[in-house]
Each structure stands twice: as C-alpha cells, then as structure tokens.
Amino acid sequence: VLMEDEHVLVINKPAGLLSQSASRGDDCLVKRARHHLAQGNDPFVGLVHRLDRDVTGVCILAKTKLAARWLSRQFASRTVRKEYVGIVRRWSSEGVRLLRNTMEVDEGGTEAAAEMAVASGFRGAGSPDGDRRGPPASPLEELMKRRGVDQAWEALAEMMRAGLPSDRFTVSRMLMRTLADGRRQWDSAKINHAVALVEQFVTLQPAESDEVLFNAILDTHSRTKDIPRLDAAFQRMRDLGVVPSHVTLGILVKAYGQVCDIKKVLNLWDSMGEQRDQANAVTYGCMINACVKCSHTDKALEIFRDMQVRKKHCNTILYTTLIKGYGNEKDIVTAVELFREMSINNVPYNTIAYNSIIDVCIKCGDVTKAEAFFKEMIVDGSTVEPDLITYSTLLKGYCQDGDLDKGLQVAETIKASGLQCDELVYNTLMDGCVKANDLSAGVGLFAEMTAAGMAPSSITHSIFLRLYQRNGYKGNALDAVAQLYEHHGLDRPSGTVEKASKAAARRDVRGRGQRNRE
C-alpha cells in the first residue's frame, strides 16, 4: 500500500497478479484490497482502471462509490497522466519511437498512442555501448514543444520550400499531435493542411517514408472518412515498397467498415494473410467491429472464434461488440450465450458489458431478463456499478411497455444515486406519458426538466404534440404546446421544429392505425 485515505487506496500491484478476476475464487488485486479493508464487513472496492497481469505498478482503487465516479470521469476525460517504464535488450539509435493504434470502444474508436524513448542505459546483456541516451530531439520537434504544432507545420513548409530535410519521426508525431488536438476541437481545414504537408514530405523525401508514417496518414483519412484519399495513400505506400503491418490492416478495415463497404473489408482480411497472422486483439477488434457495423455479425463471430483457436487475447471489448451486434439482429439467445461465456473464460465484466446485454433485452422486449441482469450489478459484492446509461436503458424498457410508474421509480433512483437526469431520460419518460395517455405527468416532467436548465429539443416538441393530440387537442395541439413553452418562459418553437413535430405526429398516428388493423 503506497497511500490510503477515506476515499482511495493506492497499491503497487505485483507482476503476475490480475487486476480483477471473473471468478470469485481466483486471486486478484481487488480480492486482496477487500481483505486489506475488511473489518467484519464487505467493503466497497471500485476498480477504475487496470494494469495487465504481467505489469507491476501503481493502481488506484476507490473506497466509495462517489470516489469511483469521480476517478472514472478523470480517466475518461484523460486528465490522468500515465507513464510506463520497461527494460529492453536492445534499442536502436533512432531515438524516439512512435506506436499508434486504435481501440474499438465505440463507433468512433479511441486512439491509443505511445511515444517511447531511452530514459537511461546500462551495461549488460544486449547493451554493449553502456550508458547511452537517445539522440536529442530535432529542432522541428523542439519548436513544436515550445511554440505548438501550428508553428511546427509552418516551419516544415518553409524547410521544404528551402530544400531542407526533416525526419519521419518528427513528422509522424506532428500529425499525431494535430489529430489529438482535433479530438478537443475538430478543425477540418487544419487537419487537411497537415496531411497535405505530410504527403508533400513523402514526395520530397520518399526514403524517409515508413509504415508508421503511412499509418498516420491512413488513420487521418479514416477519421475524416475521406476514402478516395485513403485509397490513394495506400496505393502510394505500396508503390514505395513500404510493407504494411497488422496496424495498417486494422486502420483500413476500420475505415471501410465506417462506410459499410463490407466487400473491401472482407477482401483486405483475406488478401493480407501475413498481417492477419500477426494481428493482435486491437486489429481483430477493428475487423470484428467493421463486420458488426456492416450487419455481418455471424462473420464477426467466425473471426472471433478464429481468435480463440489462435490463442489470441479475447477481451471484454470484443465480447461487448459481438453482444451489441446480436442485439441489433434481435438475437437475444446468442447475445446471452456470449455474455455468460465471458465468465467461463475469465473475461471480466464491466458496466459497458452489462449495459450492452441489458440493451439487447430491451430491444428484444424482454424487460424481465433485463431486470435480472440489473440485479446482478447491484448484488452485494459486485464490483460493477450501474451508470446513467444503465438506468436510462431500463427506463426505456418500462416506458415501451407502458409501465410509467416503474419508469418514474427509475428516475427517482437516478437522483438518489447522485446522477443527473439528462434530456434523454426526460424525453423517454415523457414519451412513456404518451403511451400511458397521462398529460398531467408529462407536463410535470416538462416543468422539472426546464427547472433543471435543460432546453427542450425538437424531439421534446414532437412528444408533446402527440401527447396533446391524444388528449383531445386535435386542431389546436400546436397552440397548446406553444402555450406550455411560454408558460415556462421559453420561446415558441420555430417553424422548422413545428414541421418536424407534425411529421413525427403523423407517423405516430399511422403507426397506431397499422397496429390497430393488425
């Protein structure tokens, strides 16, 4: 134990120990922390991040649910800085190395990038040169550190005009920095300008082109969904004889998957056999996600089973992607089988995995099964905590079933848990009021929503238009909704919103008529 207070427990995790085990009988960090904290009770231990089994280092555990929530937000917003130190037998004299990849945790993916450099050297096996540090950073890189990446791009453009060379390591890092800045505030013009300069660099210094640099270019085109430029960059890569890696394969299948070009996705997977054999869980994740996005979930499962045969690491993210895919196909049986398989294979559950299987149950109209999974999350001893998405999904199921009372109970539970009801929660509840034909409850929820500072959207407006129409306001339903807005000090909905709301209301009426005929 490195540090402990009333909120957190900071531990130096030994190598060879799992952070969390799916089986209650197996040794793991969470189990040891519980034993450390136990004083005749079952203490809460919140695992907000993980270290791999073979990694030793600092791990922060939350001692309260509030601390777990705050720490999780810090990790999600990337305000936590993580450093890893490793010992290697050899290190090239090229200095800083750049590793880039993408983890498939959602539709857009999350960039995973690491910069590696020599911290210190020592004499020993594989280190004949003794204590030697990597070469100093290039002037262009120093400029990027001091003045920012925009100044570095201007300097690179000037260097190329003057015929001065640069290096692929610095240019790759500049492009990665630009993409990282784009996550906070996307600027298409700035990113396109950066890519144009990198492509000019490749033209002027083709010998400096390598797989890492081209992966940076391909990943940028993937993020901007510029498939023609991605195709051109990949062709240029092959023309220069740069051998693609499994990382390249992952970037390409992700890019084509985003635009649902399943033919190219499958062709790449079949034709790049060497890269496929080298693929890790991240590359497999890109392929599985692409197949699921293109509604080829059975193919995704086939690839997943191939991973298992090859003894590749099948993690929670991959299982969750498959579960979501079968949810989209309304195949609750296969989804539940995959979810239970996680425990059998010692793959840890997390909140996202539970949210995914609960969402499958709701999509398939099995609210009872969704409730059963939710109870697993909140049972004593569970390390998985429900979040706003968990409650919102359950709430949606109750409202779809017309059980407004249970939906309102979930909303109260959200507040009691210290979470904030968002617009989605209120809109779902108010849509439930439409199904229950409860105008007074809907108006009360609208008042609560506006009092919390949330402005109603066009969806909210269409919900109330339907609610008033079902309560006998036929020709004057729009006026009734406008008066509701004015009563709460809100501007009357615009003409565009009213047109969209009318269209939604007409679809609702037609849908009810169709169901009545059936």
Side-chain angles (χ1 to χ4, degrees), residues 19 24-36:
S19 294
R24 295 189 183 277
D26 292 344
D27 189 21
C28 66
L29 185 68
V30 170
K31 184 176 180 180
R32 293 189 186 186
R34 281 210 182 93
H35 179 74
H36 170 79

Side-chain angles (χ1 to χ4, degrees), residues 30-298:
V30 170
K31 184 176 180 180
R32 293 189 186 186
R34 281 210 182 93
H35 179 74
H36 170 79
L37 297 172
Q39 294 180 351
N41 59 356
D42 187 13
F44 174 84
V45 176
L47 186 67
V48 296
H49 71 113
R50 288 178 170 81
L51 293 177
D52 290 342
R53 183 200 291 266
D54 296 329
V55 175
T56 178
V58 177
C59 196
I60 304 173
L61 302 171
K63 294 172 62 176
T64 67
K65 291 186 177 182
L66 180 62
R69 200 152 48 238
W70 282 106
L71 287 169
S72 296
R73 289 176 184 173
Q74 291 180 55
F75 277 96
S77 61
R78 297 190 176 187
T79 57
V80 178
R81 185 168 180 264
K82 293 179 268 187
E83 290 187 357
Y84 294 84
V85 178
I87 300 174
V88 297
R89 289 181 60 86
R90 291 188 181 276
W91 186 266
S92 73
S93 60
E94 293 175 328
V96 174
R97 288 184 182 177
L98 183 64
L99 301 179
R100 310 176 72 251
N101 218 317
T102 302
M103 299 184 296
E104 289 301 316
V105 297
D106 53 32
E107 183 176 335
T110 297
E111 183 178 59
E115 297 173 1
M116 303 193 305
V118 175
S120 62
F122 60 91
R123 292 191 180 276
S127 181
D129 299 327
D131 190 1
R132 185 180 69 184
R133 296 178 181 273
S138 69
L140 196 59
E141 186 175 348
E142 289 293 340
L143 178 64
M144 178 173 64
K145 292 178 180 178
R146 293 195 319 269
R147 304 287 296 277
V149 70
D150 291 344
Q151 290 287 326
W153 287 122
E154 291 182 16
L156 177 63
E158 186 62 35
M159 288 169 64
M160 289 191 293
R161 282 193 292 269
L164 299 174
S166 185
D167 67 275
R168 58 184 180 270
F169 303 106
T170 303
V171 175
S172 295
R173 295 177 72 180
M174 287 166 59
L175 185 54
M176 189 181 77
R177 176 68 61 82
T178 302
L179 278 176
D181 291 345
R183 285 200 302 268
R184 293 188 291 271
Q185 184 175 2
W186 189 261
D187 188 333
S188 298
K190 183 183 292 186
I191 290 172
N192 288 334
H193 176 65
V195 174
L197 288 174
V198 176
E199 290 172 341
Q200 184 181 351
F201 168 79
V202 170
T203 300
L204 294 174
Q205 295 182 243
E208 276 291 308
S209 304
D210 67 355
E211 174 254 341
V212 174
L213 181 61
F214 268 106
N215 283 347
I217 297 171
L218 293 170
D219 191 39
T220 305
H221 293 321
S222 172
R223 289 175 181 275
T224 57
K225 298 184 180 179
D226 192 337
I227 300 302
R229 292 184 72 181
L230 179 133
D231 289 336
F234 187 47
Q235 184 60 51
R236 178 66 168 153
M237 182 180 187
R238 288 181 290 191
D239 290 344
L240 290 174
V242 178
V243 179
S245 69
H246 66 88
V247 177
T248 316
L249 174 59
I251 293 170
L252 291 171
V253 297
K254 177 188 174 184
Y256 293 122
Q258 285 176 337
V259 296
C260 290
D261 191 341
I262 190 63
K263 184 177 179 181
K264 279 192 175 179
V265 168
L266 297 177
N267 284 343
L268 278 167
W269 191 253
D270 291 337
S271 62
M272 296 178 70
E274 182 180 348
Q275 291 78 10
R276 186 181 66 242
D277 291 340
Q278 297 169 352
N280 57 16
V282 177
T283 305
Y284 269 100
C286 292
M287 182 61 187
I288 289 170
N289 190 67
C291 291
V292 168
K293 187 174 178 63
C294 298
S295 301
H296 279 59
T297 312
D298 286 341

Side-chain angles (χ1 to χ4, degrees), residues 392-410:
S392 299
T393 307
L394 269 178
L395 189 151
K396 179 175 68 175
Y398 292 135
C399 290
Q400 285 176 352
D401 274 6
D403 195 340
L404 183 58
D405 288 340
K406 278 194 174 180
L408 292 170
Q409 288 174 17
V410 172

